[in-house]
Amino acid sequence: MMRSIRVLHPCCVTLVVGLALGCHSAAVPRDSQTAVQYFKVDPATSGSILGSIRFVGKKPAPKLIDMSGDPACVEAHKGKAYDESLVVGPNGVVANAFVYVEKGLEGKVFETPSKPVVIDQRGCWFRPRVFGIQTGQPLQVVNSDPVTHNIHPMASVNREWNHSQGPGDDPITRKFTKSEIMIPVKCNIHSWMHAFIGVLDHPFFATSNEDGSFTLPNLPPGSYTVAVWQEKLGTTRQQITVTQGHNSVADFIYKGH
């Protein structure tokens, strides 16, 4: 007795093979996916941006901070502590201004540093007051004071969080996953304690020193928008061109009343 043989239509064969291949591709391990290609700056062809930040106008008078609510904080400052929201030194130099590349790095992906940025609660201040960090880079919070503090980054793009830290407590480690300029930070226990964090997806940022100077080193040649943020004076910008092996100068001036 002869058995009948059914011949599959070519379309059916294609369907069967496609299903088989689809099942096989779904089983490809995630580790085999293409790795992220990080942009590497060639030091031989890079340049730098350096400059200073100054304030022109009547220098603001020092404002005394009342720390009487916590005797340990009063002791840390020998009874006198002054507001640091606008620090203007000799010749109008401005410290604690945040400088960063705002535009010009689009399409480039930079590797995230594993070394944490540290913010210390010391002398009943946040130290540093103004600083930058890359997205995904660890932020380590420590308390060097003999009193309990509270760190509360009031992020709007990233996740807001709030954590108390007593004397001798272990460091707190957190990360910010998205760019955000700037994140205000406060202590819910000591109302005068403030800090500001600039989160960027690249490493080209700095905080001006006591002499108002800053440097953005190791930039690939190109045209950039460089921005400066100061908590009382706002943001100002310049267009800067970086060429191979040269220091491009960018001086910023804020004008007071």
Side-chain angles (χ1 to χ4, degrees):
M1 176 181 239
M2 294 183 61
R3 297 183 180 177
S4 62
I5 300 175
R6 297 183 61 189
V7 179
L8 292 175
H9 191 277
C11 293
C12 298
V13 174
T14 302
L15 178 60
V16 172
V17 173
L19 290 172
L21 289 175
C23 294
H24 177 73
S25 62
V28 174
R30 294 178 63 89
D31 294 343
S32 66
Q33 296 178 359
T34 304
V36 176
Q37 296 297 312
Y38 294 113
F39 181 82
K40 302 290 185 181
V41 180
D42 182 1
T45 62
S46 67
S48 299
I49 297 175
L50 54 84
S52 63
I53 302 165
R54 294 178 58 236
F55 176 84
V56 176
K58 184 179 179 181
K59 186 177 177 179
K63 180 182 177 182
L64 195 65
I65 298 295
D66 181 11
M67 295 186 176
S68 60
D70 196 319
C73 295
V74 174
E75 176 62 26
H77 293 273
K78 308 302 180 186
K80 286 188 177 181
Y82 293 92
D83 176 62
E84 297 181 341
S85 59
L86 177 57
V87 180
V88 180
N91 300 319
V93 298
V94 178
N96 283 340
F98 189 67
V99 188
Y100 62 101
V101 171
E102 185 177 53
K103 294 180 181 179
L105 295 167
E106 292 78 13
K108 296 179 175 65
V109 179
F110 295 88
E111 189 171 5
T112 301
S114 58
K115 182 179 180 180
V117 173
V118 178
I119 182 171
D120 190 4
Q121 295 156 111
R122 174 167 42 89
C124 294
W125 289 121
F126 287 117
R127 291 288 186 253
R129 183 183 182 95
V130 178
F131 64 95
I133 191 170
Q134 279 186 244
T135 52
Q137 184 176 8
L139 173 67
Q140 190 175 82
V141 185
V142 298
N143 182 6
S144 296
D145 281 340
V147 298
T148 296
H149 287 299
N150 169 272
I151 183 165
H152 183 180
M154 296 174 287
S156 57
V157 177
N158 288 275
R159 183 176 65 86
E160 182 176 356
W161 50 274
N162 185 2
H163 203 298
S164 294
Q165 192 175 36
D169 284 357
D170 291 336
I172 301 166
T173 301
R174 294 287 188 275
K175 293 180 181 180
F176 300 104
T177 59
K178 301 174 183 178
S179 296
E180 186 170 354
I181 305 291
M182 303 282 288
I183 298 177
V185 182
K186 69 176 181 179
C187 172
N188 293 342
I189 299 173
H190 304 102
S191 62
W192 61 83
M193 289 179 63
H194 298 280
F196 298 87
I197 305 172
V199 184
L200 291 159
D201 58 5
H202 63 73
F204 302 106
F205 52 81
T207 302
S208 61
N209 301 311
E210 290 184 1
D211 62 358
S213 67
F214 70 88
T215 303
L216 300 175
N218 203 33
L219 271 161
S223 296
Y224 300 98
T225 300
V226 177
V228 175
W229 175 93
Q230 206 286 328
E231 60 183 282
K232 288 295 186 182
L233 303 176
T235 301
T236 184
R237 297 171 175 85
Q238 283 190 40
Q239 298 297 125
I240 306 295
T241 298
V242 173
T243 57
Q244 178 178 336
H246 289 85
N247 293 325
S248 300
V249 178
D251 292 324
F252 293 83
I253 297 177
Y254 285 102
K255 295 182 179 180
H257 299 291

